[in-house]
Amino acid sequence: MRSSIIRRRVTTFTILGVALLAGVIVSSAMGQYPIALVDVIRGFFAHFGLTDPPKDPVVDSTLWSIRFPRIVLGLMVGAALGVAGGVMQAVFSNPLAEPGIIGVSSGASVGASLAMVFAPAALAGFGVPLAAFISGLAAALLVYFLARSGGRAEVLTLVLTGIAVTAVCGAITSMATYVAPTTARDQIVFWQMGSLNGATWTQVATVTVIATIGIVWAWSIAPGLDALALGENAAGHVGINVQVLRISAIVLAALLTSAAVAYAGVIAFVGLIVPHVMRLAIGPLNRYLIPAAMLGGALLITLADIAARNLIPFADLPIGIFTALVGGPTFFVLLRHKLRLGSSV
Amino acid sequence: MALLVGALALGACGGPENEGVPSSPATQSGTMSDPHTMTGLTEAQSISDPTPLEGPITQQLPATVTDVEGQVVEVKRTERVLALDIYGTLSRTSISLGFGKNLVGRTVSSTENQLENLPVVTQNGHSLNVESILSLQPDLIIADRSIGPREAIDQLRSAGIAVVLVDSHRSLETNSELINQVAQAFGAPEAGEKLAERTEKEIDAALDQIEEWAPEKPLDGAFLYVRGTANVFFILGADEGAGALIGALGARDVATENGITSTTPANAESLVALNPEVIFVMSDGLNSAEGLDAILARPGISQTRAGANSRFVAIPDGMALSFGPQTGEALLSIARALYGVPGEE
């Protein structure tokens, strides 16, 4: 029994690692500016002095200013969203908790859209992500206090609270869209659909710092979250301050979500699908689930982005469309399953 | 950041050298530089108010007009008129026909000096405010479907106002037709014929002049719609008249050549693939994007030939795609900016 779960973990992490590497290579080789695989490889290693750079300087520039930052941003965003979903599900003791569903994403939209309308250039461009974080965190805390009874969040209460929070946040965002000048309106609309188009290294650096802090933090509280799964009392008995653990988990989930949405916009359902699939593969232990969700999220976004930027010539599709197309039905199946088992599960 | 700077430097030395073909010898305007090697931002001078037709206008009222959607409209009076479209073409056409003093309101797109003090009847960008229109007690409204919403037009019709809809396409080919439609709404078809003839003559003269300025090998141009600081920009295709404009300027529209017909949210890499050597933008769009440097910093722009040379032409918003009775004048103004011809004044 024990050896079989270990084998499954090893297999899962190996598959994830290989698939992610393959995904990144495919993603590097594909794009609307045609670049031969040879030139991609040469362009990549040339920056470390290992090969000669590609003959055409535009190729090098396209790779390093457009394609690579976008891929790295996608990896970071996906990892952050996957981990955020995993942590939220643990702290709500509910596999349906997901930033997009319980209202954190729409909460983040409120701050981001208000900032885009009223202070687009505040804090040297960091105004929008910071506002997204603050309002996303507020929405997460609100849902946490409203949906929880007796230490757990029931499925129906959680989903319904999410609907209520999303409705109010949606109204505020619409209001911001309504008063916005045309320039900000485009920005809000596209932000809500999510896209990795136009990623720069500055954005990558910001997101990487926040996501790394969040992911390390999440991993460090994973044993606590595992104890929490046994119930609040049991967790208290093994010396865990349950309140502190819960609050810090919410804060870090909001931190990761807002890091992800700050530049890439709302990309829903990644935090739902990825941890769920990983749980099926390797079981519910958070200390393994969280790194698996990190890799899985990065993989899902990488694949979705290959579609988003290659499907239609010259156009860039919003990546949120693809994750929602997969995520919506997954959510539905999960919800049916949970409700059939009885809402107290 | 260092990477980006490196990329810019690389792009800069890779760009123009393939374009060393000397252009046709300088024309009578003297010291003209080769348009292919020009760098930097040039701005087209905005055009003045349209000149009304000379001589008395023969007006036949009441007039029965069949508008572009087949509605039969009876125009009884033209004392109080609104000419409403997103481009500002209809108010300019009305003024050219000699009915400038009959206009009692305007849209934000009507930037003529003589209309400056008229009330604006659109809100929130380009949607019609029915009550403020009714309060102006117009006898006649000339509009097209570029402005809406649909219900507003229906409401105005049912309020008993003569509403004549005209074609919402703007191009060189539909110019005369549009002028005639407007003239018929005023019950002055002869004035329409005269204005159409004057316009065609001006356009022909402008095209002849532009042919002298244009180099033998046409410039590769693209029209980008940029608004605000969002990572969103659109490539304007043939449907918006961008292809017609660029063609009339003696350049080659790389978007139309690659089959882009409608406004496309641009994928950063696809812009590199299009690789225009000059990029047209609207002046207000450029300002709202915080200037040329901010646009150049966006992935995808700096890798193009136009980006490497900062080769941009800014066109005042109302002038870019509105065509109409001042097409010739507008073309000359933009062509001067494009080919570096000193202005007349």
Side-chain angles (χ1 to χ4, degrees):
Chain A
M1 186 64 201
R2 236 192 115 60
S3 71
S4 104
I5 189 82
I6 290 174
R7 205 178 311 129
R8 284 179 77 168
R9 277 179 204 141
V10 172
T11 323
T12 307
F13 277 98
T14 313
I15 292 175
L16 278 176
V18 171
L20 190 59
L21 190 68
V24 168
I25 292 172
V26 171
S27 191
S28 308
M30 286 177 77
Q32 300 218 5
Y33 186 80
I35 300 176
L37 186 59
V38 183
D39 276 341
V40 174
I41 296 166
R42 193 184 283 171
F44 179 78
F45 287 107
H47 266 252
F48 307 100
L50 298 174
T51 49
D52 292 330
K55 279 190 206 87
D56 187 352
V58 175
V59 167
D60 191 65
S61 170
T62 301
L63 286 175
W64 283 93
S65 315
I66 303 177
R67 201 173 288 177
F68 292 160
R70 181 171 181 153
I71 292 171
V72 180
L73 186 66
L75 292 175
M76 285 300 152
V77 165
L81 287 173
V83 173
V87 170
M88 275 199 184
Q89 291 168 13
V91 77
F92 281 101
S93 310
N94 189 323
L96 290 180
E98 199 266 326
I101 292 166
I102 68 166
V104 182
S105 297
S106 48
S109 299
V110 169
S113 55
L114 289 176
M116 284 175 200
V117 177
F118 295 109
L123 308 172
F126 289 105
V128 172
L130 190 67
F133 168 62
I134 293 170
S135 63
L137 179 62
L141 289 173
L142 191 68
V143 172
Y144 174 71
F145 287 116
L146 290 179
R148 206 171 54 108
S149 60
R152 299 184 118 48
E154 307 284 334
V155 177
L156 268 179
T157 330
L158 185 67
V159 173
L160 292 178
T161 313
I163 290 174
V165 169
T166 305
V168 174
C169 291
I172 303 175
T173 308
S174 300
M175 196 64 214
T177 316
Y178 177 77
V179 301
T182 338
T183 54
R185 196 174 296 167
D186 278 358
Q187 196 175 353
I188 297 172
V189 169
F190 275 81
W191 191 84
Q192 284 179 310
M193 293 193 284
S195 174
L196 296 169
N197 195 19
T200 64
W201 286 114
T202 325
Q203 296 175 359
V204 171
T206 315
V207 175
T208 305
V209 169
I210 303 175
T212 311
I213 294 172
I215 290 169
V216 171
W217 187 3
W219 200 56
S220 73
I221 65 167
L225 292 173
D226 288 333
L228 193 62
L230 304 171
E232 285 202 321
N233 286 338
H237 287 314
V238 293
I240 289 168
N241 187 334
V242 175
Q243 274 310 318
V244 170
L245 177 68
R246 282 185 185 280
I247 297 291
S248 60
I250 300 250
V251 172
L252 93 85
L255 183 73
L256 283 170
T257 307
S258 52
V261 302
Y263 297 109
V266 179
I267 303 176
F269 292 110
V270 177
L272 174 79
I273 313 166
V274 171
H276 185 74
V277 173
M278 293 308 143
R279 204 174 290 115
L280 288 178
I282 61 168
L285 271 185
N286 283 300
R287 71 198 82 166
Y288 301 107
L289 189 61
I290 283 172
M294 176 185 84
L295 295 176
L299 177 64
L300 180 61
I301 292 287
T302 302
L303 297 180
D305 194 45
I306 293 178
R309 63 193 169 85
N310 287 302
L311 267 188
I312 296 185
F314 302 106
D316 208 281
L317 296 172
I319 191 170
I321 291 177
F322 294 96
T323 56
L325 275 178
V326 187
T330 312
F331 175 66
F332 179 71
V333 169
L334 273 177
L335 187 66
R336 296 269 304 182
H337 184 63
K338 288 295 291 182
L339 288 178
R340 201 170 291 152
L341 287 179
S343 59
S344 60
V345 177
Chain B
M1 263 339 269
L3 286 167
L4 203 78
V5 174
L8 274 170
L10 279 172
C13 50
E17 63 205 1
N18 341 336
E19 297 301 329
V21 191
S23 69
S24 54
T27 55
Q28 63 267 45
S29 42
T31 54
M32 256 187 74
S33 49
D34 179 359
H36 287 291
T37 59
M38 276 174 66
T39 59
L41 170 72
T42 47
E43 289 186 66
Q45 292 295 314
S46 48
I47 49 178
S48 48
D49 281 13
T51 321
L53 284 173
E54 280 167 25
I57 313 154
T58 45
Q59 212 182 349
Q60 195 82 43
L61 290 176
T64 307
V65 184
T66 308
D67 79 1
V68 76
E69 292 187 356
Q71 296 266 359
V72 178
V73 187
E74 169 121 32
V75 181
K76 295 193 188 91
R77 294 156 57 81
T78 60
E79 308 307 313
R80 303 180 61 79
V81 180
L82 291 171
L84 310 170
D85 67 331
I86 207 169
Y87 313 95
T89 319
L90 299 183
S91 63
R92 285 186 183 269
T93 309
S94 304
I95 295 172
S96 304
L97 288 167
F99 296 102
K101 55 187 187 313
N102 303 35
L103 297 175
V104 292
R106 65 185 182 99
T107 70
V108 284
S109 313
S110 297
T111 50
E112 298 92 318
N113 291 327
Q114 58 184 287
L115 304 182
E116 198 181 18
N117 296 319
L118 293 183
V120 173
V121 297
T122 46
Q123 56 184 16
N124 234 326
H126 299 286
S127 56
L128 298 171
N129 183 333
V130 176
E131 298 216 2
S132 78
I133 292 178
L134 289 176
S135 75
L136 293 172
Q137 300 180 304
D139 314 310
L140 167 65
I141 294 175
I142 305 168
D144 69 14
R145 289 295 183 194
S146 70
I147 207 151
R150 251 160 203 281
E151 301 78 42
I153 306 266
D154 294 345
Q155 284 169 339
L156 291 168
R157 252 195 202 124
S158 53
I161 302 170
V163 179
V164 177
L165 288 176
V166 297
D167 191 3
S168 53
H169 270 90
R170 299 289 181 270
S171 71
L172 287 177
E173 287 75 34
T174 54
N175 234 346
S176 294
E177 179 57 31
L178 183 70
I179 291 172
N180 283 321
Q181 287 172 3
V182 175
Q184 277 156 18
F186 277 104
E190 282 160 40
E193 297 292 340
K194 261 168 82 179
L195 181 61
E197 196 182 319
R198 185 183 89 180
T199 308
E200 295 292 340
K201 238 157 94 184
E202 281 179 18
I203 293 174
D204 286 344
L207 292 179
D208 285 347
Q209 178 64 64
I210 289 169
E211 209 180 308
E212 279 181 42
W213 289 338
E216 217 162 300
K217 182 171 176 295
L219 290 164
D220 292 343
F223 203 129
L224 291 192
Y225 179 83
V226 200
R227 284 267 176 236
T229 48
N231 261 329
V232 195
F233 48 80
F234 298 87
I235 305 173
L236 293 189
D239 287 352
E240 280 73 31
L245 173 76
I246 295 175
L249 291 168
R252 215 167 62 96
D253 181 24
V254 286
T256 305
E257 301 230 330
N258 282 282
I260 300 178
T261 50
S262 56
T263 311
T264 307
N267 170 281
E269 284 189 24
S270 69
L271 203 61
V272 186
L274 289 176
N275 199 15
E277 60 178 327
V278 54
I279 292 177
F280 298 88
V281 288
M282 297 197 197
S283 301
D284 284 355
L286 187 66
N287 294 335
S288 74
E290 293 175 2
L292 188 57
D293 288 344
I295 291 187
L296 285 172
R298 296 188 187 183
I301 301 268
S302 58
Q303 285 74 28
T304 62
R305 285 179 285 167
N309 297 324
S310 315
R311 181 84 155 94
F312 280 68
V313 175
I315 307 173
D317 291 39
M319 213 170 101
L321 302 170
S322 42
F323 295 93
Q326 287 175 291
T327 309
E329 208 180 323
L331 285 177
L332 280 180
S333 166
I334 303 169
R336 278 202 188 91
L338 176 63
Y339 297 119
V341 184
E344 273 173 333
E345 286 92 345

